[in-house]
Amino acid sequence: MKKTYRGSCHCGAVRFECQLDLAQGTSKCNCSICSKGRFWKAIVKADAFRLEQGADCLAEYRFGRENIHHLFCRRCGIKSFARGHMDELGDFYAINVACLDDVADEELAQAPVVYQDGRHDAWERPPAQTRQL
Ligand SMILES: [Zn+2]
């Protein structure tokens, strides 16, 4: 069931709200940036995301094909979400589920996790190793 969650960066300058069904799955990827940041995400369409405050605090990092906007707080450094566009999905947000403020540990622990081999551009299959993600 979709619920409205509120999330924020570490210092609280960046705050957002999103509609999300954690039971529909989350994902972890072994690509260069997800593995270094240990990014645990849930994808939502653009209309299910609302930035409540902190637009002026967001810095952006892009690399490679530069199609994903990695947005982090310039004060505390936390990336609470990224945004991008995929043909199948349209505009989307990748929520850092670790930045959700009103979710119980038990709820996060029960959320299914799909592992993706982004390092080899194969997001549809899991990598050989997943425990380190
Ligand atoms: Zn911050």
Side-chain angles (χ1 to χ4, degrees):
M1 189 182 68
K2 269 193 187 174
K3 283 166 60 175
T4 299
Y5 293 97
R6 304 188 73 185
S8 61
C9 65
H10 187 263
C11 72
V14 175
R15 294 186 181 279
F16 65 90
E17 194 178 84
C18 62
Q19 282 87 46
L20 179 62
D21 183 355
L22 283 172
Q24 288 297 309
T26 63
S27 56
K28 295 182 180 182
C29 169
N30 68 350
C31 81
S32 58
I33 195 163
C34 287
S35 59
K36 288 201 173 189
R38 301 182 69 81
F39 196 57
W40 183 14
K41 67 187 181 297
I43 303 289
V44 300
K45 291 189 177 186
D47 63 0
F49 177 91
R50 193 166 64 84
L51 183 64
E52 290 190 310
Q53 71 170 62
D56 53 331
C57 293
L58 287 171
E60 178 180 292
Y61 175 64
R62 289 190 284 166
F63 69 100
R65 290 189 289 258
E66 301 203 351
N67 53 341
I68 307 290
H69 303 254
H70 300 274
L71 297 155
F72 59 95
C73 173
R74 62 176 90 241
R75 183 167 169 219
C76 70
I78 294 296
K79 179 170 83 172
S80 45
F81 60 89
R83 67 179 171 82
H85 181 90
M86 284 189 293
D87 289 342
E88 318 83 76
L89 205 58
D91 293 330
F92 70 89
Y93 283 79
I95 309 296
N96 182 349
V97 298
C99 286
L100 297 177
D101 292 315
D102 49 3
V103 61
D105 287 346
E106 293 74 18
E107 194 179 354
L108 272 185
Q110 286 169 12
V113 180
V114 170
Y115 293 93
Q116 301 166 309
D117 192 359
R119 189 179 297 165
H120 299 105
D121 274 340
W123 279 268
E124 71 288 352
R125 67 162 193 243
Q129 296 293 328
T130 58
R131 283 183 51 99
Q132 83 285 7
L133 295 176

